[in-house]
Amino acid sequence: MSVIQYINANEFIEQLKSKGLVIVSINEYESAKEIKRKKLMKRKALSLAEIAENNLLPVTTKKGVNDWIISGKIKPEETYRENSGKGRVMVLTCAIKRLGYVD
């Protein structure tokens, strides 16, 4: 049987802090995610990656969001391609609101 080793809680917390990590309750974590979602929804449009990463639709990948565009769930007039920069496909936030996934 192996010997149980204990660590000092203060050292553990300091080690986490030195790496920029914190321990929070799930409620705090979820509320921070919700604040980020609301901030994103104030913008005119979001990229496919932003939609997938922030769980704004019930899909978890850029391909999943793109499939919604192809299938017509997100209408063609609710999307556009950036003229400058990366040329990403952008989805108007009004489309997400219309679908009822965000208040």
Side-chain angles (χ1 to χ4, degrees), residues 29-90:
Y29 177 72
E30 287 298 325
S31 66
K33 286 174 43 177
E34 187 59 33
I35 290 168
K36 184 175 181 181
R37 285 187 201 109
K38 286 184 180 187
K39 186 177 179 182
L40 285 170
M41 289 304 295
K42 290 181 181 178
R43 293 177 32 196
K44 175 186 172 191
L46 300 170
S47 70
L48 304 183
E50 290 170 323
I51 293 168
E53 290 169 6
N54 293 289
N55 300 320
L56 295 172
L57 294 174
V59 292
T60 57
T61 62
K62 290 182 350 183
K63 183 185 179 318
V65 178
N66 194 48
D67 289 346
W68 277 44
I69 295 168
I70 293 168
S71 72
K73 289 181 183 177
I74 297 174
K75 298 175 184 176
E77 60 270 13
E78 295 173 326
T79 65
Y80 67 92
R81 185 172 291 280
E82 284 183 322
N83 292 335
S84 61
K86 299 178 183 177
R88 302 176 296 181
V89 174
M90 302 295 284

